[in-house]
Amino acid sequence: MHTAESIRPASATRVPLARLDNSDSELISELLGAIEGVARSAAFTLGEEVAAFEEEFAAYCGTDHAVGVSSGTEALALSLRALDVGSGDEVLVPTNSFVATAEAVALVGATPVFVDVEVNTQLVTADLLAASLGPRVRALIPVHLFGRTVDMAPILQLAREHQLHVIEDAAQAHGARYRGRPVGSLGDCGCFSFYPSKNLGAWGDGGAVTTSDRQLARRIRLLRSHGEEPRHHHLELGTTARLDAIQAAILRIKLRRLDEQNELRRRRARDLDAALAGILAVPSPPGPGRDHVYHQYVVRSESRDLLREHLSARGIASAIHYPTPIHSSPAFHVANNPPLPVAEHLAQTICSLPIYPSMTDDELELIVAACRSFENRASRHAA
Ligand SMILES: *Cc1c(COP(=O)(O)O)cnc(C)c1O
């Protein structure tokens, strides 16, 4: 008996879940040059590269400010602190997300209140959030999960009515748009991760907060570096959570290619949609005014574990994002948590197939053939 996560390709991996920068030797050389520039100037913390990246990333996201921080988790936690969300406060978070969304809330001393998701998009909605509002709720964290944009207009409306902060978790959605506007520019602020496998990935950890609120940007800048301004004046309790200059130098180069890379992901997703429709439950289309940059390509199957074994035996990697809804994980489990049935069912049926910008036609064909033969086998069994 093995758990789903222990399934590893039985044969050599022919199609990985994702391809990272190490598969592109030209890019490696270019990025090594950028690192060398930082090393020769010895400007490892803050300085020109970080400032330039912040300016370019803010422009890309359509905000006045971006603040480079050490991770996506810190982006969320520092945003909450800068908005004075803390002990005694509640923050609504979708249970179908990476654990960090809720972790950041707990780290600042507030309480995450878990909310279910809508089955087709696997995203939180204004109606689901509204049903969980209470007197202690101070903020909402919609997550643009897998790169698909949340329907933000009704959520922003709800937040205005109840005077709540909206922090977008855009850690999987760099470059995605909602009604023409980039994610990260819709709420009070947007939180990004540059973990290596994200659509915009560094060579280590990194993150950013985007906002057009000057005071909020200033406060996050203070908090990420010991509340210090100017040197040796510590205005408030902060921490060490800066984006490294080396990472900023790498990200500046990769940011220039992000739109093209996202378009390649969308193209591969369309290929998979067309080939797999009728075989598996493919991701529903983004819908009008919505977008999807396919950080993950997530299908659903009632025989998910058998599907994964079948793919694995043919050298095709797969994953589950995420096998345990956050509210059921040991770190957050609360005995009296109300059931969140959609997310709980999704966790049993979702499967992330390989998706990455450099996917070849042959790799695509291998994925499609394996899914087809799984379907044929399944229908033979049913007959
Ligand atoms: C990756 C991720 C984070 C956390 O980012 P780190 O850089 O790993 O700290 C937060 N939320 C979501 C949805 C993520 O995917």
Side-chain angles (χ1 to χ4, degrees):
M1 175 70 198
H2 47 218
T3 63
E5 270 310 285
S6 72
I7 298 173
R8 294 278 174 268
S11 58
T13 305
R14 295 198 287 171
V15 188
L17 196 64
R19 267 193 213 292
L20 302 182
D21 295 348
N22 61 341
S23 64
D24 183 342
S25 57
E26 251 176 65
L27 180 64
I28 287 190
S29 306
E30 193 178 351
L31 298 185
L32 284 174
I35 290 179
E36 187 178 354
V38 174
R40 291 202 181 277
S41 70
F44 291 111
T45 30
L46 300 178
E48 275 173 33
E49 289 291 346
V50 173
F53 172 69
E54 288 178 339
E55 204 170 297
E56 289 157 13
F57 195 62
Y60 181 83
C61 293
T63 55
D64 293 342
H65 311 276
V67 184
V69 296
S70 55
S71 71
T73 307
E74 281 293 359
L76 290 161
L78 296 181
S79 296
L80 288 161
R81 279 191 62 191
L83 291 164
D84 291 315
V85 175
S87 175
D89 297 330
E90 293 179 344
V91 178
L92 303 190
V93 299
T95 191
N96 185 30
S97 182
F98 180 57
V99 67
T101 313
E103 213 170 25
V105 175
L107 281 173
V108 304
T111 304
V113 174
F114 295 104
V115 178
D116 212 350
V117 294
E118 193 269 318
V119 66
N120 285 317
T121 59
Q122 307 181 28
L123 300 177
V124 78
T125 65
D127 287 345
L128 290 163
L129 290 167
S132 299
L133 284 181
R136 288 147 89 93
V137 174
R138 292 277 321 282
L140 315 173
I141 310 187
V143 182
H144 304 293
L145 195 71
F146 308 142
R148 182 198 285 276
T149 54
V150 171
D151 190 7
M152 290 296 291
I155 292 176
L156 296 170
Q157 174 68 27
L158 181 75
R160 270 193 300 275
E161 282 164 9
H162 297 269
Q163 298 187 339
L164 305 170
H165 296 299
V166 177
I167 299 171
E168 290 173 75
D169 184 337
Q172 302 189 358
H174 322 66
R177 287 172 174 266
Y178 174 77
R179 298 188 180 172
R181 285 179 59 189
V183 298
S185 71
L186 304 156
D188 295 59
C189 62
C191 296
F192 292 85
S193 164
F194 305 124
Y195 181 77
S197 65
K198 302 285 162 96
N199 288 32
L200 179 61
W203 280 6
D205 287 305
V209 182
T210 52
T211 183
S212 290
D213 179 334
R214 194 166 56 89
Q215 286 306 326
L216 188 59
R218 178 179 138 76
R219 185 103 190 266
I220 294 167
R221 262 180 227 291
L222 279 179
L223 291 172
R224 74 172 168 183
S225 194
H226 309 295
E228 186 179 63
E229 189 190 288
R231 188 98 177 111
H232 298 309
H233 284 259
H234 300 280
L235 301 178
E236 66 172 313
L237 203 64
T239 187
T240 301
R242 300 171 293 254
L243 177 68
D244 283 329
I246 283 177
Q247 304 300 354
I250 287 172
L251 291 165
R252 290 184 69 194
I253 292 170
K254 294 184 68 180
L255 179 60
R256 293 178 211 138
R257 304 178 186 182
L258 178 57
D259 283 340
E260 176 193 311
Q261 301 276 301
N262 278 342
E263 194 45 46
L264 289 169
R265 286 175 184 269
R266 287 195 195 91
R267 206 188 93 194
R268 279 318 184 193
R270 281 196 296 270
D271 293 340
L272 287 168
D273 287 348
L276 299 181
I279 299 178
L280 288 166
V282 298
S284 60
R290 311 273 295 274
D291 194 2
H292 200 330
V293 291
Y294 295 97
H295 175 60
Q296 300 294 350
Y297 184 88
V298 179
V299 299
R300 282 181 282 149
S301 166
E302 294 296 329
S303 347
R304 186 266 315 275
D305 293 344
L306 289 174
L307 169 66
R308 293 193 69 209
E309 280 184 46
H310 187 88
L311 294 172
S312 162
R314 283 150 189 81
I316 294 161
S318 69
I320 304 173
H321 297 97
Y322 294 91
T324 311
I326 307 175
H327 74 276
S328 314
S329 76
F332 286 97
H333 186 72
V334 257
N336 59 358
N337 205 93
L340 299 170
V342 176
E344 283 162 24
H345 183 67
L346 281 172
Q348 304 304 313
T349 55
I350 46 176
C351 175
S352 305
L353 297 182
I355 188 92
Y356 43 89
S358 61
M359 182 181 284
T360 64
D361 290 340
D362 287 347
E363 288 170 335
L364 179 87
E365 254 329 294
L366 286 170
I367 300 168
V368 171
C371 291
R372 280 209 181 111
S373 62
F374 177 74
E375 166 63 14
N376 289 341
R377 194 182 73 164
S379 46
R380 265 202 312 281
H381 283 211

